[in-house]
Amino acid sequence: MIVTMSKVEITLPRELALPVLETIQDAAVLQIASDIPVQIRGGAAPQLRPVAMDARTIAERLFLEDLRLKIERLLGLLPPTGAAGSRLSEPEAIGSIAAVVGGHLAAAEQHAARRATLQAELSQLDRYLLFLSTVESLAPKGSAAAGLEFIGVEVRDPAALEQLTRVAGRLLLGAEVRTARAADGTYIGLLTTEKELAGQLKENLRGNHVPEIALPAYLEGLSLPQKIEAARTRHTALAAEAAAIDRALAELAGAWRAHYDSVQHWIDERLALLRTSASLYETERCFFLFGWMPSAEVAPLRRRLTERHGDAIVVEEQQLLQADLDQVPVTLRNPPYFRPFELLVRLLPLPRYTSI
């Protein structure tokens, strides 16, 4: 069933604008209109004009938007904690949060950047270790390896692997290409050749766009076992550093995330309130607010405003004109035995206010 709606006008003193808007926001029953009602636009109150935010309100809004952006960036870098909510009083904590969020954000960004660098090198080390392990398992051992050079290449798909086999076979008189498949599906190939032919083979591989695996400088000059040991040692050290960064971020999240989550939620509500103030209109002496709400909620809202802010707040129902019918928001409230069918009718557009 379509809920009966009322068009309301709320008159309030200037000094109570934000507190009254906050009460209306808490009640969550009024949909604020973005324009002046038809009968007022017609000339009944030509002195009515949109409220221009004062310097203090503008400064608060800019401050909160900047603070929220920093908190959002910080929360994106911190791991979830599952900790209980903050016990801070958000309005009183804003100054303290604003004072520390810059330092926390800088530390978190530094940790995240270093963590990304470590992860990239760890991924590369995994490939080096795969290549070196392949060389160790497939390459000739002992005296059989004397005078030989090993070339590792990386290919992305079976077609490129076939090209590698053709190129190597042509240059090495049909020699077999030994391959190992990496975890991401790429192939690492091992070519064994005499040292005097290695330069020519590498040049031809480059000419055929087959990239050679280049090991980092700290592995140069080491024997194969030494290369593997050095790569594993570095991998262990980098993994330990990455784990230390994860612990540091987890500690920061454990100490502060709940506070930042709570403050961000409060800032969102406060900014919504400040943006709503742009829907106020003013005369020389007071502010006006126009909106739509369920008719049954008008009296409870009037009582709530009076209890919180006194008799200076006036909530008046306006006459619903024919020109208003296309603007009335539609709210549905069905009896319990109809509610299971709402899942079906949600697929359809909402009915017009005056329809069934």
mmCIF file with all atom_site columns, all heavy atoms in Angstrom, residues 311-325:
data_model
loop_
_atom_site.group_PDB
_atom_site.id
_atom_site.type_symbol
_atom_site.label_atom_id
_atom_site.label_alt_id
_atom_site.label_comp_id
_atom_site.label_asym_id
_atom_site.label_entity_id
_atom_site.label_seq_id
_atom_site.pdbx_PDB_ins_code
_atom_site.Cartn_x
_atom_site.Cartn_y
_atom_site.Cartn_z
_atom_site.occupancy
_atom_site.B_iso_or_equiv
_atom_site.pdbx_formal_charge
_atom_site.auth_seq_id
_atom_site.auth_comp_id
_atom_site.auth_asym_id
_atom_site.auth_atom_id
_atom_site.pdbx_PDB_model_num
ATOM 1   N N   . ASP A 1 311 ? 9.587  25.801 21.729  1.00 0.00 ? 311 ASP A N   1
ATOM 2   C CA  . ASP A 1 311 ? 8.408  26.150 20.930  1.00 0.00 ? 311 ASP A CA  1
ATOM 3   C C   . ASP A 1 311 ? 8.718  27.021 19.720  1.00 0.00 ? 311 ASP A C   1
ATOM 4   O O   . ASP A 1 311 ? 7.823  27.334 18.933  1.00 0.00 ? 311 ASP A O   1
ATOM 5   C CB  . ASP A 1 311 ? 7.389  26.877 21.816  1.00 0.00 ? 311 ASP A CB  1
ATOM 6   C CG  . ASP A 1 311 ? 6.855  25.967 22.918  1.00 0.00 ? 311 ASP A CG  1
ATOM 7   O OD1 . ASP A 1 311 ? 6.845  24.737 22.686  1.00 0.00 ? 311 ASP A OD1 1
ATOM 8   O OD2 . ASP A 1 311 ? 6.472  26.477 23.987  1.00 0.00 ? 311 ASP A OD2 1
ATOM 9   N N   . ALA A 1 312 ? 9.979  27.428 19.563  1.00 0.00 ? 312 ALA A N   1
ATOM 10  C CA  . ALA A 1 312 ? 10.321 28.281 18.415  1.00 0.00 ? 312 ALA A CA  1
ATOM 11  C C   . ALA A 1 312 ? 10.313 27.506 17.100  1.00 0.00 ? 312 ALA A C   1
ATOM 12  O O   . ALA A 1 312 ? 10.330 28.111 16.019  1.00 0.00 ? 312 ALA A O   1
ATOM 13  C CB  . ALA A 1 312 ? 11.694 28.918 18.629  1.00 0.00 ? 312 ALA A CB  1
ATOM 14  N N   . ILE A 1 313 ? 10.277 26.184 17.171  1.00 0.00 ? 313 ILE A N   1
ATOM 15  C CA  . ILE A 1 313 ? 10.261 25.359 15.961  1.00 0.00 ? 313 ILE A CA  1
ATOM 16  C C   . ILE A 1 313 ? 8.819  25.102 15.561  1.00 0.00 ? 313 ILE A C   1
ATOM 17  O O   . ILE A 1 313 ? 8.022  24.595 16.353  1.00 0.00 ? 313 ILE A O   1
ATOM 18  C CB  . ILE A 1 313 ? 10.974 24.021 16.192  1.00 0.00 ? 313 ILE A CB  1
ATOM 19  C CG1 . ILE A 1 313 ? 12.332 24.238 16.874  1.00 0.00 ? 313 ILE A CG1 1
ATOM 20  C CG2 . ILE A 1 313 ? 11.141 23.275 14.868  1.00 0.00 ? 313 ILE A CG2 1
ATOM 21  C CD1 . ILE A 1 313 ? 13.268 25.114 16.096  1.00 0.00 ? 313 ILE A CD1 1
ATOM 22  N N   . VAL A 1 314 ? 8.465  25.445 14.341  1.00 0.00 ? 314 VAL A N   1
ATOM 23  C CA  . VAL A 1 314 ? 7.099  25.289 13.853  1.00 0.00 ? 314 VAL A CA  1
ATOM 24  C C   . VAL A 1 314 ? 7.100  24.302 12.686  1.00 0.00 ? 314 VAL A C   1
ATOM 25  O O   . VAL A 1 314 ? 7.797  24.518 11.682  1.00 0.00 ? 314 VAL A O   1
ATOM 26  C CB  . VAL A 1 314 ? 6.493  26.631 13.397  1.00 0.00 ? 314 VAL A CB  1
ATOM 27  C CG1 . VAL A 1 314 ? 5.085  26.417 12.860  1.00 0.00 ? 314 VAL A CG1 1
ATOM 28  C CG2 . VAL A 1 314 ? 6.503  27.630 14.549  1.00 0.00 ? 314 VAL A CG2 1
ATOM 29  N N   . VAL A 1 315 ? 6.317  23.224 12.831  1.00 0.00 ? 315 VAL A N   1
ATOM 30  C CA  . VAL A 1 315 ? 6.154  22.237 11.761  1.00 0.00 ? 315 VAL A CA  1
ATOM 31  C C   . VAL A 1 315 ? 4.730  22.367 11.245  1.00 0.00 ? 315 VAL A C   1
ATOM 32  O O   . VAL A 1 315 ? 3.767  22.096 11.965  1.00 0.00 ? 315 VAL A O   1
ATOM 33  C CB  . VAL A 1 315 ? 6.419  20.808 12.267  1.00 0.00 ? 315 VAL A CB  1
ATOM 34  C CG1 . VAL A 1 315 ? 6.225  19.810 11.135  1.00 0.00 ? 315 VAL A CG1 1
ATOM 35  C CG2 . VAL A 1 315 ? 7.826  20.694 12.846  1.00 0.00 ? 315 VAL A CG2 1
ATOM 36  N N   . GLU A 1 316 ? 4.580  22.782 10.001  1.00 0.00 ? 316 GLU A N   1
ATOM 37  C CA  . GLU A 1 316 ? 3.258  23.050 9.435   1.00 0.00 ? 316 GLU A CA  1
ATOM 38  C C   . GLU A 1 316 ? 3.049  22.206 8.181   1.00 0.00 ? 316 GLU A C   1
ATOM 39  O O   . GLU A 1 316 ? 3.895  22.163 7.291   1.00 0.00 ? 316 GLU A O   1
ATOM 40  C CB  . GLU A 1 316 ? 3.137  24.537 9.091   1.00 0.00 ? 316 GLU A CB  1
ATOM 41  C CG  . GLU A 1 316 ? 1.796  24.913 8.501   1.00 0.00 ? 316 GLU A CG  1
ATOM 42  C CD  . GLU A 1 316 ? 1.720  26.395 8.156   1.00 0.00 ? 316 GLU A CD  1
ATOM 43  O OE1 . GLU A 1 316 ? 2.747  27.077 8.357   1.00 0.00 ? 316 GLU A OE1 1
ATOM 44  O OE2 . GLU A 1 316 ? 0.670  26.836 7.672   1.00 0.00 ? 316 GLU A OE2 1
ATOM 45  N N   . GLU A 1 317 ? 1.912  21.514 8.129   1.00 0.00 ? 317 GLU A N   1
ATOM 46  C CA  . GLU A 1 317 ? 1.554  20.769 6.919   1.00 0.00 ? 317 GLU A CA  1
ATOM 47  C C   . GLU A 1 317 ? 0.978  21.730 5.884   1.00 0.00 ? 317 GLU A C   1
ATOM 48  O O   . GLU A 1 317 ? 0.110  22.542 6.196   1.00 0.00 ? 317 GLU A O   1
ATOM 49  C CB  . GLU A 1 317 ? 0.537  19.679 7.252   1.00 0.00 ? 317 GLU A CB  1
ATOM 50  C CG  . GLU A 1 317 ? 1.100  18.543 8.079   1.00 0.00 ? 317 GLU A CG  1
ATOM 51  C CD  . GLU A 1 317 ? 0.120  17.399 8.236   1.00 0.00 ? 317 GLU A CD  1
ATOM 52  O OE1 . GLU A 1 317 ? -0.083 16.641 7.263   1.00 0.00 ? 317 GLU A OE1 1
ATOM 53  O OE2 . GLU A 1 317 ? -0.450 17.277 9.336   1.00 0.00 ? 317 GLU A OE2 1
ATOM 54  N N   . GLN A 1 318 ? 1.464  21.626 4.656   1.00 0.00 ? 318 GLN A N   1
ATOM 55  C CA  . GLN A 1 318 ? 1.012  22.484 3.572   1.00 0.00 ? 318 GLN A CA  1
ATOM 56  C C   . GLN A 1 318 ? -0.049 21.768 2.731   1.00 0.00 ? 318 GLN A C   1
ATOM 57  O O   . GLN A 1 318 ? -0.104 20.532 2.680   1.00 0.00 ? 318 GLN A O   1
ATOM 58  C CB  . GLN A 1 318 ? 2.201  22.866 2.684   1.00 0.00 ? 318 GLN A CB  1
ATOM 59  C CG  . GLN A 1 318 ? 3.287  23.644 3.394   1.00 0.00 ? 318 GLN A CG  1
ATOM 60  C CD  . GLN A 1 318 ? 2.860  25.056 3.730   1.00 0.00 ? 318 GLN A CD  1
ATOM 61  O OE1 . GLN A 1 318 ? 2.193  25.709 2.933   1.00 0.00 ? 318 GLN A OE1 1
ATOM 62  N NE2 . GLN A 1 318 ? 3.238  25.514 4.915   1.00 0.00 ? 318 GLN A NE2 1
ATOM 63  N N   . GLN A 1 319 ? -0.856 22.560 2.062   1.00 0.00 ? 319 GLN A N   1
ATOM 64  C CA  . GLN A 1 319 ? -1.863 21.996 1.176   1.00 0.00 ? 319 GLN A CA  1
ATOM 65  C C   . GLN A 1 319 ? -1.191 21.306 -0.007  1.00 0.00 ? 319 GLN A C   1
ATOM 66  O O   . GLN A 1 319 ? -0.256 21.831 -0.612  1.00 0.00 ? 319 GLN A O   1
ATOM 67  C CB  . GLN A 1 319 ? -2.799 23.093 0.671   1.00 0.00 ? 319 GLN A CB  1
ATOM 68  C CG  . GLN A 1 319 ? -3.872 22.591 -0.284  1.00 0.00 ? 319 GLN A CG  1
ATOM 69  C CD  . GLN A 1 319 ? -4.706 23.733 -0.848  1.00 0.00 ? 319 GLN A CD  1
ATOM 70  O OE1 . GLN A 1 319 ? -4.463 24.904 -0.538  1.00 0.00 ? 319 GLN A OE1 1
ATOM 71  N NE2 . GLN A 1 319 ? -5.670 23.393 -1.683  1.00 0.00 ? 319 GLN A NE2 1
ATOM 72  N N   . LEU A 1 320 ? -1.639 20.108 -0.324  1.00 0.00 ? 320 LEU A N   1
ATOM 73  C CA  . LEU A 1 320 ? -1.094 19.359 -1.444  1.00 0.00 ? 320 LEU A CA  1
ATOM 74  C C   . LEU A 1 320 ? -1.818 19.780 -2.715  1.00 0.00 ? 320 LEU A C   1
ATOM 75  O O   . LEU A 1 320 ? -3.017 19.572 -2.870  1.00 0.00 ? 320 LEU A O   1
ATOM 76  C CB  . LEU A 1 320 ? -1.281 17.857 -1.204  1.00 0.00 ? 320 LEU A CB  1
ATOM 77  C CG  . LEU A 1 320 ? -0.507 16.916 -2.124  1.00 0.00 ? 320 LEU A CG  1
ATOM 78  C CD1 . LEU A 1 320 ? 0.990  17.121 -1.954  1.00 0.00 ? 320 LEU A CD1 1
ATOM 79  C CD2 . LEU A 1 320 ? -0.870 15.468 -1.794  1.00 0.00 ? 320 LEU A CD2 1
ATOM 80  N N   . LEU A 1 321 ? -1.087 20.413 -3.617  1.00 0.00 ? 321 LEU A N   1
ATOM 81  C CA  . LEU A 1 321 ? -1.665 20.932 -4.854  1.00 0.00 ? 321 LEU A CA  1
ATOM 82  C C   . LEU A 1 321 ? -1.562 19.909 -5.981  1.00 0.00 ? 321 LEU A C   1
ATOM 83  O O   . LEU A 1 321 ? -0.772 18.964 -5.917  1.00 0.00 ? 321 LEU A O   1
ATOM 84  C CB  . LEU A 1 321 ? -0.942 22.221 -5.254  1.00 0.00 ? 321 LEU A CB  1
ATOM 85  C CG  . LEU A 1 321 ? -0.916 23.347 -4.208  1.00 0.00 ? 321 LEU A CG  1
ATOM 86  C CD1 . LEU A 1 321 ? -0.137 24.522 -4.746  1.00 0.00 ? 321 LEU A CD1 1
ATOM 87  C CD2 . LEU A 1 321 ? -2.329 23.747 -3.812  1.00 0.00 ? 321 LEU A CD2 1
ATOM 88  N N   . GLN A 1 322 ? -2.348 20.130 -7.010  1.00 0.00 ? 322 GLN A N   1
ATOM 89  C CA  . GLN A 1 322 ? -2.308 19.247 -8.172  1.00 0.00 ? 322 GLN A CA  1
ATOM 90  C C   . GLN A 1 322 ? -0.908 19.221 -8.780  1.00 0.00 ? 322 GLN A C   1
ATOM 91  O O   . GLN A 1 322 ? -0.421 18.173 -9.215  1.00 0.00 ? 322 GLN A O   1
ATOM 92  C CB  . GLN A 1 322 ? -3.324 19.733 -9.219  1.00 0.00 ? 322 GLN A CB  1
ATOM 93  C CG  . GLN A 1 322 ? -3.434 18.842 -10.450 1.00 0.00 ? 322 GLN A CG  1
ATOM 94  C CD  . GLN A 1 322 ? -4.028 17.481 -10.132 1.00 0.00 ? 322 GLN A CD  1
ATOM 95  O OE1 . GLN A 1 322 ? -4.852 17.356 -9.233  1.00 0.00 ? 322 GLN A OE1 1
ATOM 96  N NE2 . GLN A 1 322 ? -3.612 16.453 -10.867 1.00 0.00 ? 322 GLN A NE2 1
ATOM 97  N N   . ALA A 1 323 ? -0.231 20.370 -8.778  1.00 0.00 ? 323 ALA A N   1
ATOM 98  C CA  . ALA A 1 323 ? 1.115  20.444 -9.364  1.00 0.00 ? 323 ALA A CA  1
ATOM 99  C C   . ALA A 1 323 ? 2.138  19.671 -8.556  1.00 0.00 ? 323 ALA A C   1
ATOM 100 O O   . ALA A 1 323 ? 3.245  19.393 -9.039  1.00 0.00 ? 323 ALA A O   1
ATOM 101 C CB  . ALA A 1 323 ? 1.542  21.913 -9.470  1.00 0.00 ? 323 ALA A CB  1
ATOM 102 N N   . ASP A 1 324 ? 1.809  19.326 -7.304  1.00 0.00 ? 324 ASP A N   1
ATOM 103 C CA  . ASP A 1 324 ? 2.747  18.594 -6.447  1.00 0.00 ? 324 ASP A CA  1
ATOM 104 C C   . ASP A 1 324 ? 2.719  17.094 -6.676  1.00 0.00 ? 324 ASP A C   1
ATOM 105 O O   . ASP A 1 324 ? 3.635  16.386 -6.245  1.00 0.00 ? 324 ASP A O   1
ATOM 106 C CB  . ASP A 1 324 ? 2.431  18.846 -4.963  1.00 0.00 ? 324 ASP A CB  1
ATOM 107 C CG  . ASP A 1 324 ? 2.678  20.282 -4.552  1.00 0.00 ? 324 ASP A CG  1
ATOM 108 O OD1 . ASP A 1 324 ? 3.677  20.857 -5.032  1.00 0.00 ? 324 ASP A OD1 1
ATOM 109 O OD2 . ASP A 1 324 ? 1.887  20.818 -3.745  1.00 0.00 ? 324 ASP A OD2 1
ATOM 110 N N   . LEU A 1 325 ? 1.680  16.585 -7.323  1.00 0.00 ? 325 LEU A N   1
ATOM 111 C CA  . LEU A 1 325 ? 1.467  15.138 -7.356  1.00 0.00 ? 325 LEU A CA  1
ATOM 112 C C   . LEU A 1 325 ? 2.599  14.381 -8.030  1.00 0.00 ? 325 LEU A C   1
ATOM 113 O O   . LEU A 1 325 ? 2.904  13.249 -7.661  1.00 0.00 ? 325 LEU A O   1
ATOM 114 C CB  . LEU A 1 325 ? 0.131  14.828 -8.039  1.00 0.00 ? 325 LEU A CB  1
ATOM 115 C CG  . LEU A 1 325 ? -1.122 15.319 -7.297  1.00 0.00 ? 325 LEU A CG  1
ATOM 116 C CD1 . LEU A 1 325 ? -2.374 14.948 -8.067  1.00 0.00 ? 325 LEU A CD1 1
ATOM 117 C CD2 . LEU A 1 325 ? -1.171 14.746 -5.881  1.00 0.00 ? 325 LEU A CD2 1
#
